[in-house]
Amino acid sequence: MTDDGTAASAATGPLGYEQARDELIEVVRRLEAGGTSLEDSLALWERGEELAKVCRHWLEGARARLDAALAGPAEDEE
């Protein structure tokens, strides 16, 4: 864990969707709870933005795979 309580992902490699989502939920919870310094809040916000990008990447990849799977049979029938 880093000083702000978030897991350091650089040492453990890329995050999976569920890991990023769970950590993002924790970041949001901590920000909503308040009581952190401005510096810590900014660090949490930046981490949250990074985690949101990871989640978006996974979701976009899943959407592309679904689109490809749905489009695949239609192309074969022609």
Side-chain angles (χ1 to χ4, degrees), residues 24-36 41 44-45:
L24 180 56
I25 290 168
E26 179 61 19
V27 166
V28 170
R29 185 196 63 74
R30 291 188 62 203
L31 285 169
E32 288 178 342
T36 57
S41 294
L44 284 167
W45 180 270

Side-chain angles (χ1 to χ4, degrees), residues 33-48:
T36 57
S37 69
L38 177 59
E39 187 66 31
D40 288 344
S41 294
L42 287 172
L44 284 167
W45 180 270
E46 290 169 345
R47 180 62 180 159

Side-chain angles (χ1 to χ4, degrees), residues 18-76:
E18 289 81 7
Q19 293 168 308
R21 182 202 58 214
D22 291 347
E23 188 178 340
L24 180 56
I25 290 168
E26 179 61 19
V27 166
V28 170
R29 185 196 63 74
R30 291 188 62 203
L31 285 169
E32 288 178 342
T36 57
S37 69
L38 177 59
E39 187 66 31
D40 288 344
S41 294
L42 287 172
L44 284 167
W45 180 270
E46 290 169 345
R47 180 62 180 159
E49 289 292 327
E50 292 172 14
L51 293 164
K53 286 179 188 177
V54 170
C55 289
R56 249 190 323 274
H57 172 76
W58 278 104
L59 292 172
E60 289 168 359
R63 169 58 64 193
R65 289 176 62 189
L66 285 171
D67 290 345
L70 293 173
E75 292 174 2
D76 291 341

